[in-house]
Amino acid sequence: MAAESERVDRSSHSMDKSITLPPNEIFRNLENAKRFAIDIGGSLTKLAYYSTVQHKVAKVRSFDHTAKDTEDDPLYEISMQEEILARLHFIKFENAYIETCLDFIKDHLVNTDTKVIKATGGGAHKFKDLIEKKLKLRVDKEDEMTCLIKGCNFVLRNIPHEAFVYVKHADSEFRFQNTHPDIFPYLLINIGSGVSIIKVESEDTFERVGGSSIGGGTFWGLGALLTKTKRFDELLQLASKGQHTSVDMLVKDIYGGSYVSLGLTGDLIASSFGKSATADKEFSKEDMAKSLLHMISNDIGQLACLYARLHNLTRVYFGGFFIRGHPVTMHTITYSINFFTKQVTEPHLTELTSQGEVQALFLRHEGYLGTIGAFLKGAEEDNPNQYSWGENYAGSSGLMSTSPDLNPMQRARSGTFDMLEMDRLERQLVNLPLLQDPSSYIPDTVDLSEDALAREYWLYCFEEALDGVVKRAVASQPDLPEAAERAEKFRHKYLHKLQTLRHQPFAYGSLTVRSLLDTREHCLNEFNFPDPYSKIKQRENDMALKYFQKAVKSLEELSWEQRQFALVRGLLAGNVFDWGAKAVSDVLESDPEFGFEQAKRQLEERPWLIDNYDQWLERLNGPPHKCALFFVDNSGIDIILGVFPFVRELLCRGTEVVLASNSSPALNDVTNNELQILTERIAAMDPVIQSAVKEDRLTLVQSGSSSPCLDLSRLDKVLAGVVRERHTDLVIIEGMGRAIHTNYYALLSCESLKMAVIKNSWLADRLGGKLFSVVFKYEVPLDKKNTTLDHVPVTPS
């Protein structure tokens, strides 16, 4: 940070003019900017703009099969079409760069018809004339606290793993929190020059319930007097190297040890700066800065705890200039909160903290709250809060390591420009109503940021698979000669993301297999590869359809009990056809004749790795389920020869079925558009499926997802409505991404089936199995079990 400060001090207009901005990285899509907002603080400027982005999407359209067609005619055609996407861009940079950035915006602003820029922050008045002169926009100033709250609500609602607990010296410095389905109420402690304590109860209901004049300005002011250091970041750097015990009087300095009867340990600070009055010596700048930091942080921490208890709140977020992602401030605040929450003596308060301790929570995008809020104030006519938004990993910088010794040059660069991008999603995302406890739901099975061995393995896996992804991306667009060049750009970008995540696994929240897959999809879309597996899916769908009637006929010839097992085995065999698994994609590429029967032979024999099949069979002897929600996985053999026969049996039992598939492409997963066409064709061949579709007993719904994994807390609102209306009492989750990498431990309020074939030898070994081991996990909620269904699902250690 010292290097960063030097650069700021040397700044001048001439230096500003010499800065070369990388426009493709920092001001992306600026030519289509529609609306602006700016938040100018004492040293950093945060700029927001909304733009429309043209990107390619893969569309499928059914051929007209009413006329005579040959067997070789494809089921549907694939076309690439342009669509408009709404995107929010947020850029953070030092005030030294503001004139250069405004010049750049002025030179590249062509399509905007806005006349106003919303502004907030203490520097908005200072730079008002400059902004109006450069951009020819009227500066409309918004209340700083209102913007802060609006921004905080927005990130908490739309960015999973936005909030984190800071744990110094842990394997991962950051412990990310799951987004609570209801973000309200919470306490926001904003530490600027002073401290404001705000209780937030709803989107527009908040009040300042307290505060203090002893805040960041106090630390800076007193620190400057004590150390003669004028720069805030340098003062924090001094504090990080100091020993406060040289300056502070401890309990043991007074009593010779602990004060046992009061429960005070000997190392507890009895008096901040207490030794400076009696010790006849000079104190180092580092020690004084550290003592001062402890004094300010302890005071703020105690105030935060008292107000949290007063208002019966456990969620306390810290932000403001004082925090700014600095490790030493986050650690001292955290230490203070932890100390004071343990000093609980009143019985009713003990009950409060046992249900959920007051925690010091920090935000990944804390620096953007004001500008997000200002933007939202200016965009109210567009109703931005009626949509769900998602972070675009391809265009966001990610959280930097707080360690000053780790990648110091990278930290210095991150202080210059930092970016966040949010894409508006087509549909509003909500919780699956059948989650047993939405507030404790964790989608991902393994947190790679805390498991170094697993992290290194999966990063290596994704790097190794990159050549294959690039090859398939180019092959999916044979008529576009520039596809190879775009594919190489994709390779470079995604490889850079993987390298960043190797050094900073917490960059985008908890690192998981899901986030690695999603980052890859975002990077593919960035370079207009919306569906690299489109032609593979088309070919496999056409092939599998030819065998559907034969597969159904062979099943109908079996006895009831034989058929139930054959259906499960067929579904599992279909799940083998996963182009996202290297062990399978290698086989599929080298052996085009590998088919359904060969896949069945690959499956392990019973007992399976996780085997609740007997309990499932026993349940099938009982009454039919009212409605089954089935999250499907792959195209081709999986959906046509595996899923549809299984669904057909459920329908024959009298169970309604809702098939939930991806809204957008990911790997070779079937999309909702593709599934619509496949269902029409199967219905034309099979009277059971045909009547179920006509009678609305078989329904197709988009999941709202564009990932090979599944987050049950972010599903299409329409799907959630269907689940409620149909009184769904069975959830089926299929596939390694949806049922192993995610949702393996998900608890539902109804019966559930989680089925997958382990197609990764490392993961199989981790779970105590081998390649092509089977997971068949049937679970019944505790409150719905009876003596005939009672069982304890087996879980791997």
Side-chain angles (χ1 to χ4, degrees):
M1 298 303 289
E4 182 182 320
S5 300
E6 286 172 17
R7 186 170 58 250
V8 174
D9 275 4
R10 293 198 312 268
S11 67
S12 64
H13 291 314
S14 60
M15 190 208 81
D16 286 347
K17 296 293 185 185
S18 70
I19 297 169
T20 302
L21 298 175
N24 291 336
E25 294 177 24
I26 295 171
F27 291 104
R28 289 147 46 90
N29 311 305
L30 185 63
E31 66 277 7
N32 294 318
K34 306 295 182 189
R35 186 174 284 110
F36 285 90
I38 198 163
D39 175 13
I40 308 176
S43 60
L44 294 174
T45 294
K46 286 78 68 178
L47 178 74
Y49 63 94
Y50 160 86
S51 71
T52 52
V53 183
Q54 274 200 324
H55 72 127
K56 282 189 166 37
V57 293
K59 292 284 188 181
V60 297
R61 186 174 67 86
S62 180
F63 283 114
D64 182 7
H65 290 280
T66 53
K68 277 192 173 181
D69 54 344
T70 68
E71 276 199 359
D72 293 329
D73 280 349
L75 178 65
Y76 54 83
E77 65 175 336
I78 307 161
S79 62
M80 303 290 280
Q81 297 178 19
E82 293 282 348
E83 273 196 359
I84 302 297
L85 173 76
R87 178 172 288 169
L88 295 179
H89 303 258
F90 303 98
I91 304 106
K92 182 167 62 181
F93 52 88
E94 296 156 10
N95 289 351
Y97 295 86
I98 190 168
E99 189 164 350
T100 301
C101 290
L102 292 175
D103 280 337
F104 187 89
I105 293 168
K106 178 189 69 176
D107 293 343
H108 292 79
L109 205 57
V110 289
N111 293 327
T112 186
D113 50 9
T114 184
K115 303 300 180 192
V116 176
I117 182 169
K118 291 288 184 180
T120 189
H125 178 75
K126 177 182 175 182
F127 290 98
K128 179 177 183 290
D129 292 342
L130 178 66
I131 295 167
E132 291 186 335
K133 176 186 171 186
K134 293 281 187 186
L135 300 185
K136 303 292 189 285
L137 300 176
R138 188 183 84 249
V139 172
D140 191 355
K141 200 168 185 312
E142 291 292 340
D143 176 68
E144 194 170 352
M145 203 57 67
T146 302
C147 291
L148 194 69
I149 300 302
K150 278 190 171 293
C152 194
N153 292 342
F154 183 85
V155 296
L156 287 174
R157 186 180 289 111
N158 288 287
I159 305 182
H161 296 166
E162 171 64 26
F164 63 88
V165 173
Y166 180 70
V167 187
K168 190 179 180 182
H169 302 313
D171 288 341
S172 174
E173 302 158 84
F174 307 92
R175 301 281 170 82
F176 292 95
Q177 308 294 294
N178 291 304
T179 303
H180 199 281
D182 183 4
I183 64 172
F184 306 111
Y186 64 85
L187 209 60
L188 178 63
I189 315 292
N190 191 53
I191 314 170
S193 298
V195 179
S196 286
I197 300 173
I198 307 112
K199 180 184 178 183
V200 185
E201 296 185 272
S202 72
E203 185 63 44
D204 298 306
T205 308
F206 61 90
E207 63 173 321
R208 186 181 187 275
V209 293
S212 172
S213 61
I214 301 172
T218 315
F219 174 67
W220 198 352
L222 284 177
L225 290 173
L226 289 167
T227 68
K228 308 305 179 190
T229 300
K230 294 292 186 182
R231 300 189 189 103
F232 187 84
D233 288 332
E234 281 190 17
L235 192 59
L236 282 173
Q237 197 75 2
L238 287 174
S240 68
K241 298 172 183 174
Q243 293 291 330
H244 76 96
T245 54
S246 302
V247 184
D248 292 341
M249 187 176 289
L250 309 181
V251 169
K252 65 183 177 185
D253 294 325
I254 301 174
Y255 297 103
S258 301
Y259 196 147
V260 179
S261 62
L262 290 182
L264 304 177
T265 64
D267 291 329
L268 198 64
I269 299 173
S271 175
S272 295
F273 288 90
K275 288 180 182 174
S276 61
T278 56
D280 187 18
K281 66 170 186 176
E282 290 291 321
F283 296 98
S284 74
K285 292 180 179 181
E286 290 83 358
D287 293 347
M288 288 189 291
K290 187 61 169 285
S291 175
L292 181 61
L293 182 67
H294 275 295
M295 184 178 81
I296 303 293
S297 298
N298 286 337
D299 184 61
I300 293 170
Q302 187 169 29
L303 274 175
C305 287
L306 289 171
Y307 276 101
R309 289 174 186 156
L310 181 65
H311 294 278
N312 199 30
L313 297 173
T314 57
R315 279 176 280 174
V316 182
Y317 300 102
F318 288 84
F321 179 81
F322 185 67
I323 303 294
R324 262 178 54 203
H326 285 290
V328 66
T329 53
M330 291 194 297
H331 174 63
T332 50
I333 287 283
T334 299
Y335 183 89
S336 174
I337 290 287
N338 290 344
F339 174 79
F340 287 113
T341 53
K342 288 167 186 172
Q343 307 303 303
V344 179
T345 53
E346 297 87 339
H348 69 287
L349 292 181
T350 304
E351 185 181 348
L352 165 66
T353 54
S354 66
Q355 290 174 351
E357 285 283 358
V358 175
Q359 286 185 312
L361 294 168
F362 305 97
L363 300 170
R364 282 173 55 208
H365 300 102
E366 185 272 326
Y368 291 114
L369 302 187
T371 188
I372 291 173
F375 174 84
L376 293 172
K377 286 287 286 182
E380 285 175 341
E381 65 196 60
D382 297 330
N383 299 314
N385 280 321
Q386 288 187 6
Y387 298 93
S388 289
W389 299 77
E391 182 175 4
N392 175 26
Y393 296 142
S396 296
S397 300
L399 186 65
M400 299 299 295
S401 169
T402 60
S403 170
D405 302 319
L406 183 66
N407 300 326
M409 286 305 295
Q410 202 165 15
R411 274 188 64 76
R413 285 198 300 275
S414 80
T416 305
F417 289 98
D418 182 83
M419 291 157 284
L420 164 67
E421 290 185 0
M422 302 282 289
D423 288 337
R424 193 177 79 185
L425 307 179
E426 290 181 30
R427 43 199 55 82
Q428 199 167 352
L429 304 182
V430 297
N431 280 300
L432 177 69
L434 297 169
L435 281 173
Q436 200 170 95
D437 179 13
S439 63
S440 65
Y441 168 67
I442 300 173
D444 303 286
T445 306
V446 179
D447 185 345
L448 302 180
S449 49
E450 295 185 6
D451 189 332
L453 191 65
R455 175 170 72 246
E456 189 50 45
Y457 171 77
W458 285 110
L459 285 169
Y460 167 77
C461 245
F462 279 88
E463 285 176 356
E464 192 184 31
L466 198 47
D467 284 344
V469 177
V470 169
K471 178 183 168 185
R472 278 184 279 277
V474 175
S476 70
Q477 299 179 2
D479 302 328
L480 299 175
E482 84 287 355
E485 183 184 346
R486 281 187 285 113
E488 283 306 311
K489 288 180 179 178
F490 153 73
R491 180 205 299 274
H492 178 76
K493 182 141 200 171
Y494 187 57
L495 194 58
H496 174 70
K497 292 288 180 185
L498 292 176
Q499 289 165 349
T500 298
L501 291 166
R502 178 169 272 113
H503 296 295
Q504 295 149 212
F506 38 75
Y508 300 104
S510 291
L511 180 64
T512 62
V513 173
R514 175 169 62 107
S515 67
L516 288 169
L517 285 163
D518 290 351
T519 303
R520 189 168 71 184
E521 294 298 326
H522 291 184
C523 290
L524 281 166
N525 280 303
E526 186 74 20
F527 296 101
N528 278 324
F529 292 109
D531 195 355
Y533 293 84
S534 56
K535 298 203 178 300
I536 291 173
K537 290 189 290 181
Q538 183 187 41
R539 184 175 69 246
E540 293 185 346
N541 285 332
D542 288 337
M543 184 65 66
L545 278 170
K546 295 173 183 175
Y547 295 96
F548 176 76
Q549 287 173 304
K550 182 182 175 183
V552 169
K553 188 172 184 297
S554 66
L555 285 165
E556 288 179 333
E557 292 170 354
L558 300 173
S559 68
W560 180 85
E561 190 163 323
Q562 288 174 328
R563 187 166 69 251
Q564 304 316 308
F565 183 70
L567 285 165
V568 167
R569 193 160 169 263
L571 204 155
L572 292 165
N575 193 244
V576 168
F577 293 85
D578 183 351
W579 281 84
K582 193 171 186 302
V584 175
S585 62
D586 287 348
V587 171
L588 295 176
E589 284 188 330
S590 61
D591 182 8
E593 300 303 313
F594 185 85
F596 196 35
E597 294 307 315
Q598 289 93 324
K600 287 179 186 177
R601 290 195 288 272
Q602 293 286 346
L603 300 177
E604 72 172 338
E605 296 297 322
R606 290 191 67 198
W608 295 322
L609 179 63
I610 308 297
D611 195 335
N612 298 144
Y613 177 75
D614 291 340
Q615 289 92 335
W616 171 246
L617 187 65
E618 187 179 348
R619 172 62 184 87
L620 291 179
N621 277 306
H625 296 89
K626 174 77 176 71
C627 177
L629 169 64
F630 198 137
F631 289 99
V632 299
D633 192 10
N634 306 307
S635 290
I637 288 176
D638 189 355
I639 186 70
I640 295 167
L641 303 184
V643 171
F644 264 101
F646 192 93
V647 165
R648 191 177 183 276
E649 184 78 8
L650 289 173
L651 292 167
C652 290
R653 278 175 56 81
T655 300
E656 295 179 2
V657 178
V658 177
L659 291 180
S661 53
N662 272 11
S663 301
S664 306
L667 295 175
N668 65 312
D669 294 356
V670 66
T671 65
N672 184 259
N673 287 340
E674 291 160 353
L675 188 56
Q676 297 275 358
I677 295 169
L678 293 177
T679 305
E680 285 174 18
R681 174 51 70 94
I682 290 170
M685 292 190 277
D686 184 3
V688 173
I689 300 297
Q690 187 176 61
S691 64
V693 170
K694 281 183 178 177
E695 296 163 11
D696 202 26
R697 291 184 294 112
L698 176 60
T699 311
L700 312 184
V701 186
Q702 301 183 57
S703 67
S705 173
S706 55
S707 170
C709 296
L710 182 65
D711 182 351
L712 296 176
S713 67
R714 285 172 70 81
L715 294 177
D716 191 344
K717 191 175 182 180
V718 173
L719 171 59
V722 171
V723 165
R724 287 194 189 92
E725 289 164 13
R726 301 288 175 104
H727 303 289
T728 302
D729 53 356
L730 173 65
V731 172
I732 304 170
I733 306 177
E734 179 212 6
M736 205 163 74
R738 291 167 178 79
I740 304 295
H741 292 311
T742 52
N743 299 305
Y744 189 80
Y745 296 114
L747 297 177
L748 301 174
S749 59
C750 68
E751 294 172 53
S752 65
L753 266 180
K754 298 169 187 174
M755 292 181 280
V757 178
I758 311 296
K759 292 150 289 193
N760 176 285
S761 54
W762 183 90
L763 180 61
D765 185 62
R766 261 277 175 118
L767 295 173
K770 57 187 179 182
L771 198 63
F772 299 115
S773 287
V774 168
V775 169
F776 188 90
K777 197 177 187 189
Y778 170 56
E779 294 176 302
V780 180
L782 287 172
D783 61 344
K784 292 193 169 74
K785 287 186 181 182
N786 57 38
T787 52
T788 57
L789 293 178
D790 190 53
H791 69 279
V792 180
V794 184
T795 57
S797 57

